[in-house]
Amino acid sequence: MTRHRASPALDPVAWAHVNTAAIAQNLAWLRSRLHGAVAEPAHPPRLWAVVKADAYGHGLAHVLQALHDADGICVGDLHEAHTARHHGWRGPVLVLSVWGVRPNDLCDPALGELHVVVDDDATLHLLEALPPGRPAPCAWLRHAGCLHSLGFADAEYARAHERLHACAQAGVLAGVGHLLHYASAEDPEALADERAAFLAATAGLPGPRCTGNSAALCGSPHTVAGDDWARCGLALYGASALPGVTGPELGLQPAMSLHARLVAVQTVRAGEPVGYGGSYRAPHDTRIGVAGVGYGHGIPRNLWQRGMALVGRPCRRVPLAGRVTMDCLTIDLGPHATEGAGDIVTLWGHGADSACLPVEHAAAACDTIAADLLTGLTARMPLMAS
Ligand SMILES: *Cc1c(COP(=O)(O)O)cnc(C)c1O
């Protein structure tokens, strides 16, 4: 299955392969983490599978096929909620932002079981204005926590909760929960402080709690004990949210592999320049491969300085060589390379054999994070799922 391909009979020069079985395995991994975190294994926290941003760039339609065991999905906005329903998702949907939405937009029966994050006064008013006599959504009140970007700080939080609680008692809402998004979930001490502040702010208020994200579940799984729900995105796709450790090192399976074909291979003499501005100088006589993928597909322009590619079988790691252009990038295949046009290179994920170039390494090579690379692919990059 692919997206955005006007001529499906033509083989793509570059594509992202999405392994849906890996996503199902990562979901099972997260579940076992949730089970292991609680002393009373009969009631582990339930799991929202976060599929915002077209399932972190993996293609929502593909990813939903792997989420049969998720308790619900979490989307960015109502557009994504409708898209998920269109693709056949029947379970609960948590919408992170209903900014700019009108009351009638929430009353569409096609939206099914809907949960809505309440992070500002406008959303409070929106829910209070819902007409009676339609399936009532659940509200999740967001505590501002240490992010201080969205949500309510302590005193406003209690007042907002009172208003939502009144809506629930009037039957306008199906329930009210408490939601926190950690600012520093990768740091166990900071996370513990954030959690303590959240528990203090919500103490005595009725309703389920939902805090943990991928970093919390990977790094400090015990902190989700006592929560009713967790929300996980990045780990679902096999990437790590913890610094200095990759998804495969945690036991996760990378779901996306990014491939391109070589469209040309040139011999370059020692000292000769390669690429715009002579950005690379071959340190030795070598073979330079030109792969048909560039920043117009979503490959960061600065990947070349420290980025690597997998090539050949068995796979070897070779450096990018010279600036990434809109349509292609150059790779120093080495003096003894036998690859030619048509051979496949891999910029992250699994190569031709089981070798893996973790997306976290590619992200570090261009000073960003895995989620930035995964969600940054452009519409011209076909997604092929299996
Ligand atoms: C994106 C997002 C998540 C998922 O975070 P991961 O680190 O990908 O697990 C959870 N909660 C909120 C509010 C988010 O915006």
Side-chain angles (χ1 to χ4, degrees), residues 231-294:
R231 310 178 303 277
C232 282
L234 196 58
L236 204 52
Y237 309 100
S240 162
L242 302 177
V245 51
T246 64
E249 286 163 356
L250 289 169
L252 296 164
Q253 305 280 328
M256 184 194 287
S257 299
L258 195 121
H259 306 297
R261 287 190 191 276
L262 294 175
V263 295
V265 180
Q266 313 277 357
T267 296
V268 172
R269 299 279 160 225
E272 282 186 326
V274 177
Y276 285 134
S279 35
Y280 185 72
R281 297 263 166 189
H284 42 69
D285 293 1
T286 193
R287 300 279 285 164
I288 294 287
V290 184
V293 66

Side-chain angles (χ1 to χ4, degrees), residues 3 16 56-58 234 239 256 258 297-303 307-308 347-349 357-378 381 383:
R3 70 169 176 195
Y56 286 46
H58 293 66
L234 196 58
M256 184 194 287
L258 195 121
H297 299 86
I299 306 302
R301 231 178 121 248
N302 63 346
L303 178 65
M308 305 291 282
L347 294 180
W348 61 76
L357 194 59
V359 65
E360 295 89 336
H361 289 184
C366 39
D367 296 317
T368 188
I369 55 170
D372 187 15
L373 292 194
L374 296 172
T375 60
L377 299 181
T378 65
M381 181 70 94
L383 288 175

Side-chain angles (χ1 to χ4, degrees), residues 50 52 56 96 142 181 213-214 231-234:
V50 183
K52 64 190 178 191
Y56 286 46
L96 287 174
R142 180 162 173 167
H181 194 39
N213 60 357
S214 295
R231 310 178 303 277
C232 282
L234 196 58

